[in-house]
Structures are given as C-alpha cells and as structure tokens.
Amino acid sequence: MYAKLTKAIIPVAGLGTRFLPATKAIPKEMLTVVDKPLIQYIIHEAAEAGITDIIFVTHSSKGAIENHFDSHYELEAKLIEGGKLDRLATMKAITPPNVNFVSVRQPEALGLGHAILCAAHIIAPNEPFAVLLPDVLMHHPRKGCLAQMAEYYETVHTSVIALEQVPMDQVNKYGIAGVSEVDLRVHQLVEKPKPEEAPSNLSVVGRYIFTPRLMELLKTTKAGVGGEIQLTDAMATLLNEEVMFGFEFKDGKSYDCGDKLGFLRANIEYALRDPNLGAAFNDYLASLELKPLKKKKE
Ligand code: UTP
C-alpha cells in the first residue's frame, strides 16, 4: 500500500521560449491572468486536492516564484499602517494554509522528465506524487481538476492522468492517449499523431498522479526527442508494468498559457468570469468592433 498523496512536483525550470520577449527576465509562471500569476492558480488547485508539500523544480532565473509565496513584512506593515486591510487580505491569500514549499534546482533544461527526476530524492520509495504543469490552467466551475483526480486515485491507487477531448483534426498538436472505452485504462501514448493514426481524441493535459515506480523508471529513461529526457517515454514504460487510468476532465476548460494565444484566451475568459470585473469587461468587449486590426502577414 502506498503512502498518502501529499506531494506535488511543479517543474518551473523551462526557459519559456515560446513567450519571448516577455519571458526573458520574468518567469513564464509569473505572467498574470487577470490579477494573479499563473503559478498562484496552480498552487491553489494543488492545495484543493489535499497537497501539502509543493516541490518546485526551478532555475536560478526564477527566484520571483519563490518570493511570491514568501512573506513581505515591509509591504504588510505599510498596508496595516495605511488601514488597507482588504489589500492585506489579498496578500495573505496568496499561499493556501498548510502548504509548504521546497525548491530543487534543475541545472540545465534537459526536459520535463529530467526536471521531475531532479525531485527524486524528496519522494519516498512508497510515495505517490502529483505533477502539475504550471503553464496549463484548468478551470472548472465546481472542483479543481487535481482534486477530482485525487478522489479518483483514492479508489484505484494507481497512476491517473488527466485527459481532455480535442477536435479530431487537431490531435497532431497534442500527446494523445489510447484508452479502453470501459474504464479509460490507458494502453498507449502517442505524441502528435496524424488524425488518421490517432488512437482517440483524448489529449494528455498537464495533470498527473503517479505511483513511485514512475520515478524509478525516469532514472533509466534515456534522452529521447530533442536530446531531452521525456516524461512520455517513462510513462510508456510504466504502461507495460502497471495499470494507468485516464481521468477525463469534463465540464471545465484548459488553457495552454505557455502559448500566446492560449494565454490571451485565458485572460479574456477569466476576466469575464471574475465577479468584480466580469460585467464591466463584458460591456466593454460588446462595445468593440471585434475585427483584427491588422491582417496576418502572408
Ligand atoms: P514547456 O516545454 O511547456 O516549457 O514545459 P518551456 O520549455 O519553458 O517552454 P517553451 O517551449 O520554451 O516555450 C512544460 C513545463 O515543464 C517545465 C517548464 O518550466 C514548464 O512549466 N520544464 C520543461 C522544466 O522545468 N524543465 C525542462 O527542462 C523543461
């Protein structure tokens, strides 16, 4: 029997090259959607799932992430002095209660699999762990994606990965899972298949709960595509040894905020949902003549 699920690894050591120039000096994970950096949404989603230990796999250029979750006494004192208690409350709400942070460094961006492996010494041999990709926002009106997955994990006690339906003509942009129709047991993972070769239209979407075996397998996973240690390769090996289930994320919406268009979509839709801004922002959008200002270059 595995230990309780309490740890989540959040790899934040990537260079965010798709989002240059914004990400030259600012970590991608600190880009804001409405009024909060991406990483704050992710930490709250993890906390809602009962995660108490967050492990950042980070890089020397990403100190702002750790600072965001640290105290800032000077600012707090100023807000108290000025009687700005609502702003103080906003600051205090950044870090969910009962969440602890640990950081480990990934010396070189050698891939997502390698990043996860950098946290191997913090995961006990009998400990399951979650992985959340911090540039993927998962909005759900009732319950966070990882919280739903953690509940499911409690019934199956084996690896569970989040899947989301994508249009069949777009499967070539995603990692796609082949699953059994009965219980979504995963039997195949294919990177960016052609639509006619795709085993399904269920894409792997950036939330995972793994048994400790995944970490063992990463240790022996050789560099794959792009000379990087690929998480998908270790997951494919795990499929041969253990049962892995897909968890279909339904009634919600994911946003790939590592991509400029995905990030813009997230900002617009989160702003429209915001209880304080939504109505006014909706009126503003309705007042615009929504046409592209410039034609796309041929
Ligand atoms: P991405 O490939 O989306 O992130 O990896 P990236 O490499 O930062 O972005 P681009 O493609 O250059 O724009 C998914 C997550 O894995 C982390 C990234 O920080 C991101 O959150 N990652 C990726 C690492 O921590 N280390 C790596 O070597 C690669």
Side-chain angles (χ1 to χ4, degrees), residues 2-289:
Y2 298 124
K4 196 168 178 281
L5 173 70
T6 59
K7 291 183 183 163
I9 299 176
I10 307 193
V12 297
L15 300 176
T17 55
R18 279 174 295 158
F19 225 124
L20 284 168
T23 47
K24 180 164 180 256
I26 297 170
K28 172 168 75 173
E29 299 76 9
M30 289 301 292
L31 297 177
T32 52
V33 168
V34 185
D35 58 353
K36 292 190 272 292
L38 288 171
I39 192 72
Q40 190 174 326
Y41 292 93
I42 303 298
I43 298 301
H44 281 257
E45 184 186 330
E48 190 192 344
I51 298 294
T52 51
D53 295 289
I54 301 280
I55 304 157
F56 287 130
V57 180
T58 188
H59 176 261
S60 58
S61 64
K62 302 258 181 152
I65 296 173
E66 286 138 316
N67 293 346
H68 186 68
F69 295 99
D70 203 352
S71 310
H72 190 326
Y73 291 116
E74 200 184 337
L75 185 52
E76 286 175 23
K78 277 270 175 222
L79 291 174
I80 293 170
E81 206 181 290
K84 294 178 176 148
L85 299 185
D86 51 339
R87 292 180 195 176
L88 182 68
T90 305
M91 287 258 297
K92 294 280 187 195
I94 291 174
T95 305
N98 309 321
V99 167
N100 302 302
F101 297 96
V102 180
S103 294
V104 293
R105 289 283 176 99
Q106 184 187 25
E108 231 185 304
L110 294 176
L112 179 56
H114 180 261
I116 294 169
L117 193 52
C118 291
H121 60 292
I122 305 176
I123 306 291
N126 71 336
E127 223 176 8
F129 58 98
V131 174
L132 297 95
L133 299 193
D135 47 2
V136 180
L137 284 189
M138 309 280 284
H139 174 266
H140 194 278
R142 289 179 301 283
K143 191 179 267 190
C145 180
L146 193 70
Q148 295 182 44
M149 290 170 68
E151 266 179 24
Y152 183 50
Y153 168 80
E154 283 306 321
T155 68
V156 293
H157 290 105
T158 193
S159 298
V160 176
I161 62 171
L163 302 175
E164 192 180 38
Q165 294 209 21
V166 293
M168 203 61 192
D169 60 356
Q170 288 180 31
V171 288
N172 59 346
K173 296 183 188 154
Y174 301 93
I176 298 291
V179 294
S180 108
E181 277 183 22
V182 187
D183 54 5
L184 290 196
R185 179 175 172 171
V186 181
H187 55 75
Q188 193 186 4
L189 294 163
V190 202
E191 272 305 322
K192 304 185 170 107
K194 291 184 191 145
E196 58 277 20
E197 286 165 12
S200 77
N201 67 335
L202 289 168
S203 72
V204 180
V205 80
R207 301 291 184 270
Y208 315 80
I209 295 174
F210 288 124
T211 64
R213 182 69 187 145
L214 191 271
M215 200 58 103
E216 287 306 308
L217 291 172
L218 275 173
K219 289 179 186 166
T220 52
T221 301
K222 298 214 164 61
V225 178
E228 295 186 340
I229 296 180
Q230 302 287 348
L231 174 60
T232 312
D233 291 345
M235 285 167 65
T237 314
L238 187 63
L239 286 184
N240 298 327
E241 294 189 8
E242 292 182 1
V243 173
M244 178 188 289
F245 286 111
F247 174 83
E248 192 180 344
F249 179 63
K250 283 187 193 153
D251 307 323
K253 198 162 175 186
S254 71
Y255 303 84
D256 178 5
C257 295
D259 169 77
K260 291 178 191 177
L261 194 57
F263 177 76
L264 291 172
R265 283 192 187 122
N267 259 299
I268 289 184
E269 295 185 23
Y270 275 69
L272 285 170
R273 288 185 198 113
D274 187 290
N276 298 318
L277 297 170
F281 189 53
N282 188 35
D283 289 348
Y284 168 70
L285 289 182
S287 76
L288 293 178
E289 267 188 66

